[in-house]
Amino acid sequence: MYLTYISTILLALILQSSQVKFEQLIGTWQLVHFDAMDELRNSPQYKSSDSAMRAGLEYKIQNRLENTVYIFVAGDSLKYTDYVKSEVVQKKATIEINSNNILTIKTGSEVKQAKIVAFGTERMVLQPISTSPGSGKLVFEKIK
């Protein structure tokens, strides 16, 4: 029984430490979880707000999840949704992945980076590289 646990842990470490290739990303990925949502739900402001306020925030969270889609296209391209002044907009970027699984997304002069901390054929976890608070992990599931 312990050998099963050890084997599973070793396999997870090997998969986690292997380099992700761009070809593995090709397809459509939907955001299903963002750590900042948990922080919001656990905040004193959220807990002390009335049910209408919480319902409004839950609607915004669900809207963000449903509208955050990354479409990796053969070559080095990414099509994704973003929010600009509370509006959902479509953007296109170029992508680079280095040997440390750092994903660099370039949209014009804007550059964002995230570490791919877990990757499988159906699930990807990104940790944004940012100095701003609220940059917790993002969990994506492959939908196409």
Side-chain angles (χ1 to χ4, degrees):
M1 181 162 169
Y2 291 111
L3 290 176
T4 304
Y5 291 125
I6 293 171
S7 298
T8 303
I9 292 170
L10 287 174
L11 179 61
L13 290 173
I14 290 168
L15 290 175
Q16 193 173 31
S17 65
S18 62
Q19 183 178 358
V20 177
K21 306 285 187 223
F22 183 82
E23 294 77 28
Q24 295 171 283
L25 297 175
I26 293 174
T28 303
W29 298 81
Q30 175 83 47
L31 182 66
V32 295
H33 183 79
F34 183 31
D35 286 348
M37 295 170 191
D38 291 337
E39 291 175 22
L40 172 68
R41 288 181 179 123
N42 291 322
S43 71
Q45 296 87 351
Y46 181 87
K47 289 181 177 181
S48 66
S49 64
D50 61 34
S51 60
M53 178 69 80
R54 284 194 303 273
L57 288 171
E58 289 299 327
Y59 173 81
K60 288 179 181 179
I61 289 170
Q62 190 60 36
N63 189 39
R64 175 65 73 135
L65 290 173
E66 291 172 0
N67 288 297
T68 302
V69 177
Y70 284 11
I71 304 169
F72 292 91
V73 182
D76 65 350
S77 297
L78 168 67
K79 296 177 185 177
Y80 67 102
T81 54
D82 199 3
Y83 283 82
V84 177
K85 298 180 183 175
S86 299
E87 295 285 325
V88 177
V89 296
Q90 299 294 317
K91 290 190 175 182
K92 188 172 182 181
T94 57
I95 297 296
E96 294 175 5
I97 302 175
N98 72 15
S99 60
N100 294 320
N101 287 333
I102 302 295
L103 180 68
T104 301
I105 302 171
K106 297 177 185 177
T107 308
S109 62
E110 183 181 19
V111 177
K112 296 179 184 178
Q113 289 188 310
K115 170 106 174 128
I116 301 172
V117 294
F119 185 81
T121 57
E122 302 297 320
R123 189 166 193 248
M124 170 175 58
V125 180
L126 301 178
Q127 174 69 53
I129 298 171
S130 173
T131 57
S132 63
S135 61
K137 292 181 181 126
L138 299 115
V139 179
F140 288 85
E141 289 182 356
K142 193 166 191 177
I143 58 174
K144 293 183 191 175

